[in-house]
Amino acid sequence: MSSMDDFFFRAFFKLKVHESHGTAFQQLINSLFGYGVEGFQPVAPWGNWGDGGNDGWVEATGTYYQVYGPTPTSNISPDATVQKAIGDFHKLPQKWKNVNSFYFVYNDHFGGAPAKLSSALQSLKEDQGLTECKALVGADLEQIFMSLDSGQRQIIVGGIPSDSSTYIDPTSVNDILTHLADNDTSPDFLMSPPPDLDEKITFNGLSEGVGNVLKMRWYQISIIDQFLTARDPGFAQVVASDISRLYEKSKEYVNFEDERIADLRYVWMMDHLIPDVAHKHPHSLKAYRESAQVVLSKYFETCDAYEHPEQSTSP
């Protein structure tokens, strides 16, 4: 598996965590732990009995998990998070036996667990004589995810783009991607890349890996140019405007502290070019994502996506 495969897997997983809260976060954890935690069993609440503070467990070891995924805009205080964790733990002995370890799975959106939470769980471990008691946050979940094999990762986040540029599989992502599917999209290596492409990549804070993807897919954009030439001029402007709006939305939704924020916005845009139905089929999704990469390369060159170095504001 290449380093770019690892990058896309990490990026798609990180975005999935950022976008998951409530029931969606619970479902993500059930999938992740089902593959990554031996013996894990999810628990669904039942009537008035509820779940007894147990969202999932490993019966053989007496390990219990409570999952908490508040929305990032809910402004839950650290004190409220601590109360949630400690309160859920104290429910366990009332309905469950052999409580040896307790994990509070908390969607911190990769910002780290609140210090008060970690300290409270440390004290709880000592007071209750537990084998382990701690918070599991985004970084821990990413580590579990990356320990899975490629097939299991694809089930969770979908297929990732190939680093091969020899072809694009059939897709139906708007008129342009349909056209890409219906035509030979072998790269035209006789084309000369624009001289400022590397400058744009550096200016926008994109990593070398994503920059290489943009440059590799650039050799396939001639098929888009041919398609647009055959359409009325107004259509090309509509497409450019759509991509520009998508980039602005990426800055709105992918708006958190991360050293690779520009790369994550690239991945977010790639996924949001694709119709919802494709996300239900991991192997088809791989093909959709590869086609979306060509579109993004085209509109990165024209600066409809990302910023131009001559603009006064930074990304």
Side-chain angles (χ1 to χ4, degrees):
M1 183 173 295
S2 72
S3 59
M4 282 308 295
D5 287 344
D6 277 352
F7 161 74
F8 280 119
F9 273 126
R10 289 183 189 276
F12 283 124
F13 180 74
K14 184 170 285 191
L15 289 173
K16 195 172 186 70
V17 170
H18 275 292
E19 294 173 349
S20 298
H21 44 81
T23 302
F25 185 62
Q26 175 77 65
Q27 292 171 343
L28 173 60
I29 296 304
N30 287 348
S31 296
L32 177 64
F33 285 16
Y35 292 119
V37 177
E38 185 176 358
F40 177 79
Q41 304 174 58
V43 173
W46 184 73
N48 293 330
W49 199 88
D51 59 19
N54 177 15
D55 284 328
W57 66 323
V58 179
E59 183 177 9
T61 60
T63 301
Y64 291 80
Y65 299 87
Q66 177 60 218
V67 180
Y68 185 45
T71 60
T73 57
S74 57
N75 295 320
I76 302 295
S77 70
D79 287 337
T81 302
V82 170
Q83 291 174 10
K84 165 72 173 169
I86 302 303
D88 284 335
F89 172 80
H90 286 301
K91 294 176 184 177
L92 288 171
Q94 301 174 28
K95 296 181 178 179
W96 301 91
K97 299 178 180 180
N98 190 32
V99 181
N100 293 324
S101 296
F102 176 69
Y103 291 97
F104 188 68
V105 186
Y106 174 59
N107 191 349
D108 65 329
H109 299 277
F110 294 88
K116 284 187 175 182
L117 175 62
S118 297
S119 177
L121 292 174
Q122 187 179 56
S123 297
L124 184 65
K125 176 182 177 180
E126 295 178 1
D127 295 342
Q128 300 294 323
L130 299 173
T131 303
E132 192 59 84
C133 182
K134 61 181 291 188
L136 294 180
V137 294
D140 302 302
L141 303 181
E142 181 182 28
Q143 185 175 359
I144 295 171
F145 175 74
M146 293 304 293
S147 73
L148 305 181
D149 64 42
S150 178
Q152 292 168 337
R153 294 185 206 174
Q154 289 190 51
I155 290 172
I156 292 173
V157 301
I160 62 168
S162 167
D163 58 7
S164 168
S165 62
T166 56
Y167 69 96
I168 294 175
D169 290 331
T171 69
S172 57
V173 185
N174 67 45
D175 287 349
I176 288 182
L177 292 186
T178 300
H179 186 69
L180 286 171
D182 293 340
N183 290 271
D184 178 15
T185 53
S186 298
D188 183 0
F189 291 115
L190 296 178
M191 298 171 60
S192 298
D196 61 346
L197 197 57
D198 283 318
E199 182 184 5
K200 292 177 183 177
I201 289 168
T202 301
F203 177 80
N204 282 281
L206 291 157
S207 67
E208 180 181 1
V210 171
N212 287 337
V213 171
L214 284 167
K215 289 187 283 187
M216 177 185 69
R217 297 299 183 189
W218 183 87
Y219 288 101
Q220 296 168 278
I221 68 172
S222 61
I223 194 70
I224 298 178
D225 293 334
Q226 294 168 12
F227 173 72
L228 293 176
T229 299
R231 300 291 297 265
D232 64 274
F235 178 77
Q237 184 57 49
V238 167
V239 173
S241 296
D242 286 344
I243 298 297
S244 180
R245 282 193 295 272
L246 183 67
Y247 173 61
E248 292 303 318
K249 285 184 178 180
S250 78
K251 292 193 290 184
E252 177 183 350
Y253 287 101
V254 188
N255 183 23
F256 44 82
E257 292 295 327
D258 194 287
E259 62 182 7
R260 301 190 71 172
I261 193 70
D263 290 353
L264 291 173
R265 286 173 181 160
Y266 171 85
V267 174
W268 185 92
M269 287 189 290
M270 186 196 311
D271 250 18
H272 283 74
L273 279 172
I274 299 170
D276 291 341
V277 65
H279 289 267
K280 300 178 181 178
H281 307 284
H283 296 292
S284 297
L285 183 57
K286 173 180 179 292
Y288 279 89
R289 285 171 170 167
E290 289 174 359
S291 293
Q293 284 183 329
V294 182
V295 173
L296 287 177
S297 183
K298 160 69 178 175
Y299 291 99
F300 178 81
E301 178 202 1
T302 60
C303 292
D304 292 293
Y306 290 93
E307 317 290 343
H308 193 282
E310 295 180 0
Q311 294 176 331
S312 59
T313 57
S314 60

